[in-house]
């Protein structure tokens, strides 16, 4: 993997990590204000999708080490 690819992946990872934290804050605010439970569930599902994408990017960043 080239250095540019590695940099692009790390940049996307950082953006998604921030977006994940933003979703977390938004969900907590929605819960605190007594928002519609269905909307909260939708936000949680989107947050989970971000977590999955983060895990895939992390796998691409960290090389497999065979012991």
């Amino acid at each position: 993997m080239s250095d540019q690819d590695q940099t692009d992946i790390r940049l996307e990872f950082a953006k998604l990590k921030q977006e994940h934290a933003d979703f977390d804050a938004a969900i907590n605010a929605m819960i605190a204000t007594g928002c519609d439970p269905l909307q909260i569930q939708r936000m949680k599902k989107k947050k989970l999708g971000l977590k999955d994408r983060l895990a895939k990017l992390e796998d691409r960043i960290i090389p497999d080490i065979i012991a």
Side-chain angles (χ1 to χ4, degrees), residues 5-48:
D5 291 341
Q6 189 82 354
T7 302
D8 291 343
I9 291 171
R10 288 182 186 276
L11 182 61
E12 185 178 354
F13 183 82
K15 287 179 184 178
L16 289 177
K17 190 134 180 106
Q18 181 60 50
E19 192 175 341
H20 186 267
D22 292 345
F23 266 101
D24 196 36
I27 290 168
N28 288 335
M30 290 171 77
I31 291 170
T33 59
C35 198
D36 179 31
L38 185 58
Q39 286 181 320
I40 294 171
Q41 284 302 112
R42 288 179 181 153
M43 292 288 281
K44 286 182 177 181
K45 190 171 184 175
K46 288 180 183 180
K47 182 181 163 193
L48 186 59

Side-chain angles (χ1 to χ4, degrees), residues 41-62:
Q41 284 302 112
R42 288 179 181 153
M43 292 288 281
K44 286 182 177 181
K45 190 171 184 175
K46 288 180 183 180
K47 182 181 163 193
L48 186 59
L50 283 176
K51 186 175 180 182
D52 290 342
R53 287 174 50 198
L54 283 168
K56 288 178 184 177
L57 286 176
E58 192 171 33
D59 286 344
R60 290 180 63 193
I61 293 171
I62 301 172

